[in-house]
């Protein structure tokens, strides 16, 4: 296999000259190609066959222990003008970046096969879709890309027809964290990633193309590339709405996208369009329409159980690559939170023996907290009938949520679009295991895009304000927080399926059918505006969950001011004025 596209041919030849692989394999996406890659990885000990009766076509992969999460401090956006990358990105001059990273690529594929992986983000026939080619020396990456994207012959055909694609050069290098770099060149639509085999660092279609590069395309072309799930919600009468929701990494997108309503919500149905990324464009009638550019889920394993996310558990029956989960004695998988009691013996994610006793004594987890599963989206029982619709689905509401132990109410609705942009721009969340670094520290994560916006965050806020002016049918904007804790550190809100109670109120608001109470931050439901059947949240607990403490919010708003200060002059004046408005409202609010 090769290609009629000369630019692609030349680029592959140049990459081979630099990295000097033993051989080059063009990937066609076929079943036989997949089987051969699995055989190869099994032979090399890079995959473990799971119990094929309980888990057909499922395998376990263990990463190098130093390579288990995204590395934000080693991720760069390389624009000619430093200001264009913004204070939200690490920056290097493009020429220097190429020199630096090429030194790491020099000869790195010696003794290895170079795989050329053409892929399409979005349904092949969709005008919203964009193609890329990833060159990699990792069969694990090829297998994952085959699940996460439309990979192989049809993608190559589209590239040859369109003539354009995003270049992504990847090598696992020597996995030395000191020789690891994830470089983006949005001005020439290319990516160079070396030294990591992990998810967002190495599957270049996902965060690198579909968010960092795509966000700059979207800025220039007038659309949105967002870290959002997309779900459909249908009421008992068959009326259906779609919403898109942005939560930071490991803050609940997959779970919310696959929500199963509580039994009392008879006749309600939630369906899944996507669980991580949304590309959103203006439709023919002035509405916003979204596609899921991905073809699979790369989901967080810990915490996933029959209780919390039965749809995910059903999805995980077949054709799954598990990464860094624990292995049971009968060839099954396990992770913290899957069952209330751990099995008596496991092999942990590093390959070492693990028992509950060892866990207690050493504090070691059996699965890595950022252990993941890769699985085709089509396997999900709640997959939406329109999930591959080339024209996308119409979006009625945007939801933004963070992981906040205190301060942020369960749900509130922004007064209008620009107010909603303010709330999203100042979103805070506790850091998680999805990225290297200290966990549980509150940081600003605007639109859940801090690690993924490929350009200056101030320009991005402006872009959202511009989009709002360009559409006639504006989705309403809501904020949620499932993660408030009590004095003992326990979650106060039941979460998961019970999030339906909040989603129902949101959908009713969108349809103009739900009441609420006006607060300084926006509209919130009253206790009686929510259906509590079968739920043990008391009126008192609800009032706690929905409260916005005046003192705490004054501190929060002071942090917003610091945050805008940090982002500098490109933050829209309109947003700074919004802050002053809330401060003024809070200072006039009656004492609680
Ligand atoms: P990325 O794939 O990293 O972008 O993450 P995500 O936003 O899809 O997060 P995911 O749904 O995988 O959830 C991450 C963790 O949060 C899991 O351990 C979940 O069990 C947990 N979680 C999800 N929803 C809720 C909720 O409503 N309440 C609580 N307490 N935990 C939740
Ligand atoms: C995230 O970290 O937000 C993920 C996983 O969805 S990764 O693909 O590694 O970015
Ligand atoms: Mn994500």
């Amino acid at each position: 296999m090769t290609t009629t596209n000369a630019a692609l041919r030349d680029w592959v030849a140049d990459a081979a000259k630099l990295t000097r692989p033993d051989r080059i394999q063009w990937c066609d996406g076929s079943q036989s190609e997949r089987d051969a890659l699995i055989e190869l990885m099994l032979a090399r000990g890079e995959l473990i066959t799971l119990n094929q009766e309980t888990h057909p076509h499922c395998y376990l992969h263990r990463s190098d222990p130093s390579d288990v999460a995204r590395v934000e401090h080693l991720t760069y956006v390389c624009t000619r003008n430093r200001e264009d990358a913004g204070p939200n990105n690490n920056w290097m001059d493009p020429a220097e970046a190429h020199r630096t990273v090429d030194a790491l690529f020099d000869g790195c594929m010696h003794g290895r096969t170079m795989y050329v992986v053409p892929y399409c983000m979005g349904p092949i026939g969709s005008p919203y879709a964009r193609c890329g080619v990833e060159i990699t020396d990792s069969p694990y990456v090829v297998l994952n890309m085959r699940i996460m994207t439309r990979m192989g012959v049809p993608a190559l055909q589209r590239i040859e027809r369109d003539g354009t694609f995003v270049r992504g050069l990847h090598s696992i290098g020597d996995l030395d964290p000191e020789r690891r770099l994830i470089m983006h060149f949005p001005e020439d639509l290319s990516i160079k990633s070396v030294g990591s085999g992990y998810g967002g660092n190495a599957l270049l279609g996902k965060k690198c193309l579909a968010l960092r590069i795509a966000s700059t395309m979207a800025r220039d072309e007038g659309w949105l590339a967002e870290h959002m799930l997309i779900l459909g919600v249908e009421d008992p009468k068959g009326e259906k709405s779609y919403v898109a929701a942005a939560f930071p990494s490991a803050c609940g997108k997959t779970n919310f996208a696959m929500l199963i309503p509580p039994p009392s919500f008879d006749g309600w149905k939630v369906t899944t369009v996507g669980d991580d990324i949304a590309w959103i464009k203006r439709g023919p009638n002035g509405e916003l329409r979204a596609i899921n550019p991905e073809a699979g889920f790369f989901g967080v394993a810990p915490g996933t159980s029959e209780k919390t996310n039965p749809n995910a558990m059903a999805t995980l029956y077949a054709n799954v690559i598990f990464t860094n989960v624990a292995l049971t004695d009968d060839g099954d998988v396990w992770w913290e939170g899957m069952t209330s009691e751990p099995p008596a013996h496991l092999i942990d994610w590093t390959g070492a023996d693990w028992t509950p006793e060892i866990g207690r004594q050493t504090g070691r987890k059996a699965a890595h907290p950022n252990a993941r599963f890769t699985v085709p989206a089509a396997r999900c029982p709640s997959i939406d009938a329109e999930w591959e619709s080339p024209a996308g689905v119409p979006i009625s509401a945007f939801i933004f949520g963070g992981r906040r132990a205190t301060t942020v109410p369960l749900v509130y609705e922004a007064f209008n679009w620009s107010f909603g942009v303010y709330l999203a721009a100042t979103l805070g969340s506790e850091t998680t295991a999805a990225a290297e670094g200290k966990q549980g520290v509150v940081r600003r994560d605007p639109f859940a895009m801090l690690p993924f916006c490929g350009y200056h965050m101030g320009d991005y806020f402006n872009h959202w304000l511009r989009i709002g002016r360009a559409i006639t049918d504006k989705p309403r904007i809501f904020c949620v927080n499932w993660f408030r804790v009590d004095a003992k550190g326990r979650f106060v809100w039941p979460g998961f399926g019970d999030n339906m109670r909040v989603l129902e109120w949101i959908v009713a608001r969108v349809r103009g059918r739900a009441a609420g109470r006006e607060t300084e931050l926006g509209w919130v439901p009253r206790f009686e505006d929510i259906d509590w059947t079968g739920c043990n949240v008391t009126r008192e607990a609800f009032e706690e969950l929905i409260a916005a403490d005046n003192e705490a919010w004054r501190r929060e708003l002071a942090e917003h001011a610091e945050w805008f200060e940090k982002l500098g002059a490109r933050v829209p004046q309109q947003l700074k004025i919004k802050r002053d408005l809330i401060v003024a409202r809070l200072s006039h609010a009656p004492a609680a």
Side-chain angles (χ1 to χ4, degrees):
M1 206 168 115
T2 176
T3 178
T4 59
N5 184 304
L8 175 53
R9 227 168 32 221
D10 293 349
W11 173 61
V12 171
D14 288 347
K17 214 161 96 196
L18 174 63
T19 60
R20 296 196 294 281
D22 283 11
R23 46 191 291 274
I24 299 176
Q25 179 177 334
W26 287 73
C27 294
D28 60 13
S30 66
Q31 184 71 33
S32 56
E33 176 181 274
R34 169 192 174 276
D35 295 346
L37 285 167
I38 286 174
E39 282 310 315
L40 174 77
M41 288 189 72
L42 287 170
R44 289 197 206 158
E46 293 169 2
L47 278 187
I48 294 166
T49 305
L50 294 171
N51 186 325
Q52 295 295 299
E53 256 154 57
T54 52
H55 283 295
H57 310 293
C58 291
Y59 300 90
L60 167 63
H61 173 76
R62 297 193 186 118
S63 307
D64 185 280
S66 76
D67 186 32
V68 292
R70 282 183 295 100
V71 281
E72 294 177 5
H73 62 296
L74 300 175
T75 301
Y76 285 75
V77 168
C78 308
T79 46
R80 277 188 295 275
N81 178 351
R82 178 175 199 149
E83 260 296 288
D84 292 340
N88 46 298
N89 282 302
N90 299 312
W91 177 86
M92 210 185 280
D93 170 74
E96 189 192 339
H98 282 297
R99 259 197 315 278
T100 309
V101 77
D102 285 356
L104 302 179
F105 276 113
D106 192 4
C108 71
M109 294 193 194
H110 178 73
R112 299 180 188 170
T113 298
M114 171 192 271
Y115 301 97
V116 181
V117 183
Y119 63 94
C120 183
M121 301 308 290
I124 289 275
S126 170
Y128 290 44
R130 292 284 186 280
C131 288
V133 178
E134 175 162 358
I135 293 176
T136 180
D137 54 10
S138 161
Y140 170 81
V141 166
V142 179
L143 288 173
N144 277 273
M145 287 293 283
R146 186 170 181 273
I147 296 174
M148 296 305 296
T149 73
R150 280 88 175 169
M151 182 268 255
V153 172
L156 184 60
Q157 285 168 346
R158 178 159 168 167
I159 289 168
E160 289 172 344
R161 206 171 52 240
D162 294 355
T164 59
F165 62 96
V166 176
R167 292 161 168 71
L169 177 58
H170 170 257
S171 169
I172 55 168
D174 56 14
L175 293 178
D176 178 352
E178 300 292 315
R179 294 158 56 78
R180 184 174 291 163
L181 282 170
I182 324 293
M183 300 286 207
H184 302 73
F185 305 90
E187 286 150 356
D188 45 48
L189 302 185
S190 76
I191 304 154
K192 287 184 175 177
S193 163
V194 64
S196 168
Y198 174 78
N201 301 329
L203 311 178
L204 301 186
K206 198 172 174 58
K207 297 302 177 14
C208 300
L209 190 162
L211 289 177
R212 296 193 193 95
I213 298 288
S215 63
T216 68
M217 294 175 165
R219 171 198 60 193
D220 299 341
E221 298 167 9
W223 50 282
L224 299 165
E226 301 297 330
H227 193 206
M228 290 181 177
L229 68 94
I230 310 162
L231 63 79
V233 50
E234 193 178 324
D235 70 17
K237 293 200 197 84
E239 196 174 342
K240 189 165 183 180
S241 306
Y242 289 96
V243 311
F247 309 152
S249 302
C251 289
K253 288 182 300 299
T254 302
N255 281 269
F256 196 46
M258 298 181 189
L259 182 156
I260 295 183
S264 64
F265 282 75
D266 197 19
W268 285 82
K269 231 167 67 192
V270 171
T271 48
T272 311
V273 177
D275 82 325
D276 197 48
I277 299 176
W279 284 357
I280 306 164
K281 302 193 182 177
R282 209 162 69 124
N285 305 314
E287 81 283 29
L288 283 182
R289 303 189 72 87
I291 66 157
N292 170 12
E294 302 192 278
F297 306 127
F298 182 63
V300 177
T304 309
S305 72
E306 289 297 345
K307 272 208 190 105
T308 58
N309 192 347
N311 275 323
M313 293 305 280
T315 309
L316 297 181
Y317 167 66
N319 301 324
V320 193
I321 300 172
F322 292 96
T323 301
N324 301 333
V325 303
L327 179 67
T328 71
D329 292 344
D330 39 15
D332 210 332
V333 291
W334 192 83
W335 47 75
E336 277 69 18
M338 182 201 268
T339 53
S340 50
E341 291 299 322
H345 177 258
L346 292 164
I347 304 295
D348 75 12
W349 69 276
T350 67
D353 279 307
W354 189 96
T355 62
E357 188 53 31
I358 292 176
R360 263 190 301 276
Q361 279 172 10
T362 62
R364 260 171 42 213
K365 306 264 191 227
H368 187 275
N370 191 37
R372 299 258 168 181
F373 51 78
T374 319
V375 67
R379 281 210 38 79
C380 183
S382 61
I383 201 76
D384 190 88
E386 297 294 317
W387 85 279
E388 296 194 281
S389 160
V393 297
I395 298 298
S396 306
F398 285 116
I399 305 173
F400 295 94
R403 186 180 280 271
R404 293 296 299 271
T406 65
T407 315
V408 179
L410 177 65
V411 58
Y412 47 110
E413 179 189 346
F415 295 116
N416 53 45
W417 181 272
S418 55
F419 198 87
V421 170
Y422 176 87
L423 296 176
T426 55
L427 186 72
S429 195
E430 292 154 21
T431 50
T432 65
E436 268 186 23
K438 202 166 153 31
Q439 286 177 47
V441 203
V442 175
R443 68 168 184 185
R444 294 302 126 190
D445 190 349
F447 290 78
M449 281 288 278
L450 181 69
F452 308 121
C453 180
Y455 61 101
H456 195 299
M457 201 44 95
D459 294 344
Y460 171 91
F461 297 162
N462 251 315
H463 184 57
W464 264 82
L465 292 171
R466 251 195 322 266
I467 292 278
R469 288 192 290 272
I471 49 178
T472 44
D473 205 355
K474 287 193 210 10
R476 295 217 203 176
I477 297 180
F478 298 80
C479 290
V480 299
N481 176 24
W482 313 140
F483 298 97
R484 291 262 288 244
V485 298
D486 63 16
K488 290 194 176 124
R490 291 171 308 202
F491 291 117
V492 184
W493 177 248
F496 303 104
D498 284 297
N499 294 334
M500 182 67 213
R501 303 180 195 278
V502 172
L503 182 58
E504 184 199 20
W505 182 75
I506 288 174
V507 171
R509 289 291 294 176
V510 166
R511 295 174 184 165
R513 290 178 205 152
R517 172 169 66 85
E518 190 179 337
T519 74
E520 288 77 27
L521 298 176
W523 291 87
V524 301
R526 299 161 304 175
F527 186 71
E528 50 274 21
D529 296 322
I530 287 188
D531 183 342
W532 296 107
T533 320
C535 181
N536 55 15
V537 172
T538 61
R539 180 183 284 269
E540 229 182 342
F542 173 76
E543 296 303 344
E544 284 273 312
L545 280 162
I546 208 77
D549 179 73
N550 197 297
E551 273 308 304
W553 269 92
R554 286 183 200 219
R555 282 195 300 275
E556 185 79 9
L557 284 150
E559 282 181 29
H560 295 180
E562 278 171 35
W563 166 236
F564 282 171
E565 200 59 44
K566 209 164 140 189
L567 289 179
R570 294 201 194 184
V571 172
Q573 196 56 30
Q574 201 182 344
L575 296 190
K576 296 183 183 161
I577 296 169
K578 286 279 184 300
R579 198 197 79 91
D580 295 342
L581 271 175
I582 310 175
V583 171
R585 272 203 217 104
L586 282 171
S587 64
H588 291 118

